[in-house]
């Protein structure tokens, strides 16, 4: 981005699967951005789920179709970057809707920040706001993970922030193309967590990760207990597979801190009856995470029951 540091070009990459109303709202909001957007590159899983007449008139929309078994969290996104020559690439999920017309502008501004030793940002991720249907406890979780204050994270923050130093989310995250390519891009075969794996590599290589709170998307989930179990299982698998990034930085302490603060919030805000639900759901999260950390000891049938991404394990079996 050296030649265009004040006005870098930016393309947007969106993996989609059965896109719905939120995706339509996302595209509408991208058309209202204050900062000029280049191409909108969509990598759609399963062509039969794509409404080819539903998105006509979207400027610079470029759609590529893949099969479900071909999708990989890291490899698919990395492949998508080959269709862009922009200085920055912004990844969005198909249910992350820009909250206003300044999302892209604010993300670009994040790349002008520097770490305490002059570290350049490798990636800038946005604040995620709860949607209207978001549950009460999950609303607090959004604010816990995505506070209203921006932050530049570098290697110096590891003793204080621990694993949170590497936190970032491809629900809405922009990357400096030169730095991205110099670090080899996303890992090509991963069950999940390609964004944090890249962030860990970037910080260890001397770059910064910027959280830009002024850049906002509406993105939240109302996961059931079992969905939380499956998600945290896969999260732990990704950490177990990459000790070079996550060794010595356990997530359990951060999770316990979140539960305690959420419980205090529920009591203080007059919603103590939600405590049992919080405890049960948190237990499923922890059980999923603990199981995933030791997945190597589990029979394949158990792993396939625990995961939310069966295709990953099928591909892993084919490669053995």
């Amino acid at each position: 981005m050296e030649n265009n540091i004040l006005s870098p070009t930016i393309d947007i990459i969106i993996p989609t699967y059965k896109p719905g109303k939120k995706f339509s709202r996302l595209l509408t909001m991208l058309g209202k951005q204050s900062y000029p957007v280049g191409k909108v590159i969509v990598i759609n899983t399963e062509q039969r789920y794509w409404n080819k007449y539903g998105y006509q008139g979207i400027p610079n929309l470029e759609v590529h179709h893949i099969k479900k078994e071909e999708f990989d969290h890291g490899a698919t996104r990395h492949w998508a970057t080959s269709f862009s020559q922009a200085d920055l690439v912004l990844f969005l999920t198909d249910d992350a809707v820009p909250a206003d017309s300044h999302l892209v502008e604010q993300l670009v501004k994040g790349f002008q920040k520097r770490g305490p030793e002059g570290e350049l940002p490798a990636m800038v991720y946005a604040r995620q706001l709860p949607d209207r249907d978001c549950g009460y406890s999950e609303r607090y979780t959004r604010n816990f993970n995505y506070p209203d204050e921006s932050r530049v994270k570098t290697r110096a923050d590891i003793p204080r922030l621990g694993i949170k130093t590497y936190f970032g989310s491809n629900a809405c995250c922009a990357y400096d193309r030169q730095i991205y390519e110099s670090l080899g891009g996303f890992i090509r075969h991963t069950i999940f967590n390609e964004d944090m794996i890249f962030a860990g590599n970037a910080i260890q290589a001397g770059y910064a990760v910027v959280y830009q709170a002024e850049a906002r998307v509406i993105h939240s989930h109302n996961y059931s207990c079992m969905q939380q179990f499956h998600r945290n299982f896969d999260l732990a698998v990704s950490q177990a597979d990459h000790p070079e990034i996550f060794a010595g930085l356990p997530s359990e302490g951060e999770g316990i801190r979140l539960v305690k603060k959420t419980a205090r919030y529920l009591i203080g805000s007059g919603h103590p009856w939600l405590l049992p639900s919080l405890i049960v759901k948190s237990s499923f999260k922890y059980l999923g995470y603990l199981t995933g950390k030791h997945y190597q000891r589990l029979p394949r049938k158990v792993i396939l029951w625990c995961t939310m991404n069966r295709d990953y394990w099928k591909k892993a079996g084919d490669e053995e």
Side-chain angles (χ1 to χ4, degrees):
M1 206 174 70
E2 294 176 359
N3 296 328
N4 302 294
I5 192 163
L6 296 180
S7 57
T9 56
I10 185 167
D11 286 341
I12 297 176
I13 296 173
I14 312 172
T16 60
Y17 179 58
K18 298 182 179 180
K21 292 181 180 179
K22 287 184 180 181
F23 179 62
S24 297
R25 294 204 300 269
L26 187 166
L27 292 178
T28 298
M29 289 304 298
L30 288 182
K32 298 178 179 180
Q33 292 300 300
S34 59
Y35 193 92
V37 172
K39 293 195 291 185
V40 178
I41 302 162
V42 172
I43 308 298
N44 178 65
T45 299
E46 296 297 347
Q47 189 168 356
R48 68 182 182 273
Y49 298 132
W50 180 261
N51 181 4
K52 64 180 179 180
Y53 303 109
Y55 311 108
Q56 293 178 333
I58 303 297
N60 302 320
L61 182 66
E62 180 180 312
V63 184
H64 304 269
H65 299 286
I66 62 173
K67 296 185 180 299
K68 191 170 186 291
E69 60 268 20
E70 294 174 326
F71 178 81
D72 180 273
H73 282 276
T76 300
R77 285 178 169 86
H78 181 73
W79 173 63
T81 65
S82 67
F83 300 110
S84 170
Q85 297 301 317
D87 302 310
L88 306 174
V89 287
L90 167 58
F91 288 93
L92 288 164
T93 52
D94 61 11
D95 60 347
V97 181
D100 54 41
S101 61
H102 300 290
L103 171 69
V104 176
E105 176 188 347
Q106 288 296 336
L107 288 170
V108 172
K109 285 183 178 179
F111 284 97
Q112 298 173 12
K113 297 181 177 180
R114 297 291 181 267
E117 301 296 328
E119 295 94 338
L120 297 173
M123 55 192 277
V124 178
Y125 68 100
R127 185 181 187 189
Q128 297 184 25
L129 302 176
D131 210 339
R132 286 172 293 183
D133 64 349
C134 184
Y136 203 81
S137 295
E138 177 61 21
R139 286 180 179 274
Y140 184 80
T141 299
R142 292 285 105 181
N143 289 328
F144 180 86
N145 288 327
Y146 302 96
D148 58 6
E149 184 176 345
S150 298
R151 171 181 279 169
V152 180
K153 299 182 289 187
T154 67
R155 218 166 14 198
D157 292 302
I158 293 175
R160 181 170 56 92
L161 297 179
I163 198 168
K164 203 80 170 180
T165 312
Y166 300 156
F167 182 73
S169 174
N170 270 346
C172 183
C173 188
Y175 293 79
D176 182 302
R177 167 179 288 282
Q178 288 185 1
I179 297 175
Y180 174 86
E181 292 180 349
S182 72
L183 294 175
F186 296 128
I187 186 169
R188 304 302 190 269
H189 183 52
T190 182
I191 191 169
F192 192 47
N193 220 23
E194 78 291 336
D195 35 27
M196 284 186 69
I197 294 170
F198 180 87
N201 282 323
I203 284 177
Q204 290 181 13
Y207 293 104
V209 169
V210 173
Y211 168 58
Q212 186 76 343
E214 296 80 10
R216 304 178 304 152
V217 290
I218 300 170
H219 181 253
S220 58
H221 295 286
N222 291 315
Y223 287 128
S224 68
C225 288
M226 283 310 302
Q227 286 173 323
Q228 291 285 12
F229 175 92
H230 296 314
R231 182 177 177 83
N232 276 37
F233 176 86
D234 288 355
L235 173 66
V237 167
S238 73
Q239 294 184 10
D241 282 346
H242 294 280
E244 76 282 2
I245 302 293
F246 299 107
L249 297 173
S251 297
E252 291 92 331
E254 188 69 10
I256 292 171
R257 190 166 74 92
L258 171 58
V259 173
K260 289 180 177 179
K261 294 193 74 168
T262 305
R264 285 196 291 267
Y265 171 74
L266 292 177
I267 295 171
S269 61
H271 295 79
W273 62 86
L274 294 177
L275 285 173
S277 174
L278 170 68
I279 293 170
V280 171
K281 190 164 286 189
S282 299
S283 298
F284 273 82
K285 286 182 181 180
Y286 179 69
L287 184 59
Y289 182 81
L290 189 63
T291 307
K293 288 280 279 189
H294 304 284
Y295 83 91
Q296 296 98 331
R297 305 177 188 175
L298 301 177
R300 184 174 177 83
K301 286 185 178 179
V302 175
I303 290 174
L304 291 176
W305 183 85
C306 290
T307 186
M308 66 185 296
N309 190 351
R310 285 173 164 250
D311 287 330
Y312 170 83
W313 298 100
K314 292 175 183 177
K315 285 184 283 189
D318 292 340
E319 292 172 0
E320 289 177 356

